[in-house]
Amino acid sequence: MTEARAGGDLRLHDTWTGGVRDFVPLRDGHVSIYLCGATVQGLPHIGHVRSGVAFDVLRRWLTAKGYDVAFIRNVTDIDDKILNKAADAGRPWWEWAATFERAFSAAYDALGVLPPSAEPRATGHITQMVELIERLIDQGHAYTGDGDVYFDVASYPDYGRLSGHRIDDVHQGEGVATGKRDQRDFTLWKGAKPGEPSWPTPWGPGRPGWHTECVAMCESYLGAEFDIHAGGMDLVFPHHENEIAQAKAVGDGFARYWLHNGWVTMGGEKMSKSLGNVLSIPAVLQRVRPAELRYYLGSAHYRSMLEFSENALQDAVKAYTGIEDFLHRVCSRVGTVVPGDWTPRFAAALDDDLAVPAALAEVHAARAEGNRALESGDHETAMGHARAIRAMMGILGCDPLDERWESRDETTAALAAVDVLVQWALAGRAEARASRDWATADQIRDRLKEAGIEVTDTADGPQWTLLDGHSKDD
């Protein structure tokens, strides 16, 4: 396996500064990351998990470069949408949230997203939220009104820097509230309402506002200042803008880099439940394998929009299968492939703001060279490319020979069963050819072709290929 190596050559696009910056962690050898996780209101769709895949690649790359990575991904388990949907379904809000939290966990796991270092729930950090709100009130940045608590946007002069909003144009989207001094202010704490959960506080019972939850959880696990805050670009305003305002208003350094991934779109529109164009993870996994879906979601640059189409998904499946087939051929002809060293061009691509498309181009270039070497009988070169591919695909989280994909891959098991039958037929064909019974040999080959199996005679003996692209060597 490639030796872990620390390096200061990583550059990342920081939304706060609006450009690409050299990444220098707060503590030498250690990286702290907070990713805004799921609001568990319903089944996860591919738009939800794109950030999980994108920043899983970042985490894997940092780890491979020798960093110790603390990776926190929260769960928002108390929210207006959760309460409303649970009430409409006649189910307890906590049971509704727990049900879909499990669905998100299953989706992340199915796509090979590494579990976070910790996965805090909002409802488990009410004490920290109350303490934060008290600090804001004491320092003149928040006030109470009609049982609610609001952040005074005008009290924080840098409000709008992350998103580019002018303070005069701010609209929180919270509707009109009688307790607000200014409609630009946002809610930190919501006073108790009949039928809703509530917690006691110095200013009365209620529940937390969304923007306060993440600040409290970030700082509880990573401290008042940490390296990277990540999330979808839809969170830049108001969520992340409001997080920054709270943290910096009380004097905390908070996140030093802000990374945001693009949306998954359909017809140019963000994928969301309200648009009715949701593709749930369970539904998509009925059509493609988990590793293939992960490859697809991670193949575009994390900051770009990913326009979903069935053709694009199938193109990704074909590309992934090409890599998989090459590795299986090397295993069959040469021997076990263990991960080796990634190439310098692959490393340079990921160091350039996680340029996964360029990194994948290097993977496919290695596959092409490896195929040529394999066909020419240069097994040593083919093995070298295969080992590099395993290392690179491991960083991207979808190494076809990783045991998690091999053990869960029903297609691999089916191919193994088919291989037994095909090898029996090929043995009969070999006997016929040895006896110069060309008619029988051709008949066996034709019958295999009718079954969707194409046989190619090579210097290393016959190899067979399914017409859908899967292959197995003799």
Side-chain angles (χ1 to χ4, degrees):
M1 190 64 182
T2 306
E3 288 184 8
R5 53 191 114 157
D9 47 359
L10 175 63
R11 291 171 58 79
L12 298 170
H13 185 276
D14 178 19
T15 308
W16 178 255
T17 59
V20 176
R21 297 171 54 199
D22 290 338
F23 176 70
V24 180
L26 185 64
R27 289 168 45 201
D28 187 37
H30 178 82
V31 178
S32 47
I33 302 174
Y34 183 92
L35 172 62
C36 274
T39 297
V40 287
Q41 56 172 305
L43 286 175
H45 59 63
I46 61 175
H48 289 135
V49 299
R50 186 187 180 193
S51 66
V53 171
F55 297 116
D56 186 61
V57 173
L58 171 62
R59 180 186 182 183
R60 289 170 182 266
W61 184 230
L62 287 167
T63 300
K65 288 168 72 69
Y67 290 107
D68 173 36
V69 181
F71 191 96
I72 309 300
R73 184 184 68 215
N74 78 296
V75 174
T76 296
D77 61 344
I78 185 73
D79 173 84
D80 289 345
K81 294 177 181 177
I82 293 172
L83 296 177
N84 292 337
K85 290 187 176 185
D88 289 344
R91 291 162 62 181
W93 66 271
W94 52 265
E95 187 263 349
W96 185 272
T99 297
F100 294 109
E101 179 182 343
R102 289 192 296 272
F104 270 87
S105 295
Y108 289 130
D109 181 61
L111 270 60
V113 174
L114 297 172
S117 307
E119 193 167 22
R121 297 184 184 93
T123 54
H125 296 77
I126 301 296
T127 299
Q128 292 90 336
M129 296 176 205
V130 171
E131 291 173 349
L132 172 63
I133 294 171
E134 286 183 313
R135 292 170 67 195
L136 288 165
I137 292 173
D138 290 345
Q139 295 184 38
H141 294 290
Y143 59 91
T144 60
D146 291 345
D148 300 326
V149 184
Y150 300 100
F151 183 87
D152 182 359
V153 167
S155 74
Y156 176 61
D158 281 343
Y159 190 88
R161 177 174 170 180
L162 181 75
S163 60
H165 280 63
R166 294 178 60 250
I167 195 167
D168 292 340
D169 299 330
V170 166
H171 187 277
Q172 297 292 345
E174 294 182 347
V176 177
T178 57
K180 278 189 180 183
R181 298 174 186 169
D182 188 322
Q183 289 305 311
R184 296 173 299 183
D185 297 344
F186 60 88
T187 305
L188 302 176
W189 188 263
K190 300 184 177 187
K193 295 179 181 177
E196 289 190 355
S198 63
W199 290 263
T201 73
W203 47 87
R207 60 184 175 87
W210 179 34
H211 311 305
T212 305
E213 295 174 352
C214 279
V215 179
M217 288 185 283
C218 282
E219 298 196 344
S220 293
Y221 290 85
L222 300 178
E225 186 174 13
F226 55 95
D227 291 311
I228 297 172
H229 196 313
M233 63 180 293
D234 53 319
L235 300 180
V236 173
F237 186 87
H239 187 48
H240 289 167
E241 192 74 74
N242 291 349
E243 284 188 50
I244 291 171
Q246 294 170 79
K248 290 189 175 290
V250 295
D252 295 342
F254 211 52
R256 302 173 72 244
Y257 297 81
W258 287 84
L259 273 61
H260 292 95
N261 65 277
W263 297 332
V264 177
T265 59
M266 290 183 70
E269 296 182 280
K270 178 192 172 188
M271 185 173 293
S272 68
K273 289 179 171 59
S274 61
L275 291 175
N277 57 8
V278 174
L279 285 168
S280 73
I281 299 299
V284 178
L285 292 182
Q286 290 178 358
R287 306 198 302 279
V288 300
R289 295 177 294 165
E292 293 166 342
L293 179 56
R294 175 173 177 126
Y295 180 95
Y296 171 66
L297 291 176
S299 60
H301 193 282
Y302 77 96
R303 289 194 289 114
S304 68
M305 297 298 186
L306 180 61
E307 176 69 12
F308 177 83
S309 71
E310 283 293 337
N311 286 340
L313 178 61
Q314 292 306 319
D315 286 345
V317 169
K318 184 177 180 181
Y320 177 83
T321 302
I323 297 168
E324 181 181 45
D325 286 349
F326 167 67
L327 292 176
H328 280 299
R329 283 196 296 274
V330 174
C331 287
S332 178
R333 296 192 195 182
V334 186
T336 301
V337 178
V338 296
D341 239 343
W342 56 72
T343 70
R345 282 192 292 268
F346 177 87
L350 290 190
D351 279 340
D352 183 17
D353 191 32
L354 300 180
V356 171
L360 279 173
E362 183 66 5
V363 171
H364 286 288
R367 177 187 60 83
E369 289 292 330
N371 272 324
R372 283 191 285 271
L374 198 60
E375 293 309 312
S376 69
D378 185 355
H379 290 173
E380 182 178 353
T381 297
M383 177 61 81
H385 286 300
R387 294 186 65 212
I389 287 172
R390 282 209 66 187
M392 294 185 287
M393 291 294 281
I395 298 296
L396 301 179
C398 44
D399 169 16
L401 298 186
D402 187 282
E403 62 180 8
R404 72 166 290 114
W405 305 123
E406 289 278 289
S407 63
R408 297 184 184 198
D409 184 0
E410 294 180 2
T411 301
T412 299
L415 284 172
V418 171
D419 185 50
V420 172
L421 299 175
V422 172
Q423 295 303 332
W424 175 79
L426 290 178
R429 177 174 175 261
E431 290 180 8
R433 287 163 63 92
S435 302
R436 297 182 176 274
D437 184 356
W438 309 118
T440 299
D442 290 345
Q443 183 182 36
I444 292 172
R445 181 169 182 162
D446 291 343
R447 290 294 298 274
L448 288 171
K449 191 167 186 179
E450 288 173 8
I453 297 166
E454 188 167 38
V455 177
T456 302
D457 292 310
T458 74
D460 290 334
Q463 64 174 342
W464 63 268
T465 306
L466 290 177
L467 295 183
D468 70 355
H470 294 294
S471 68
K472 182 75 177 180
D473 295 343
D474 188 355

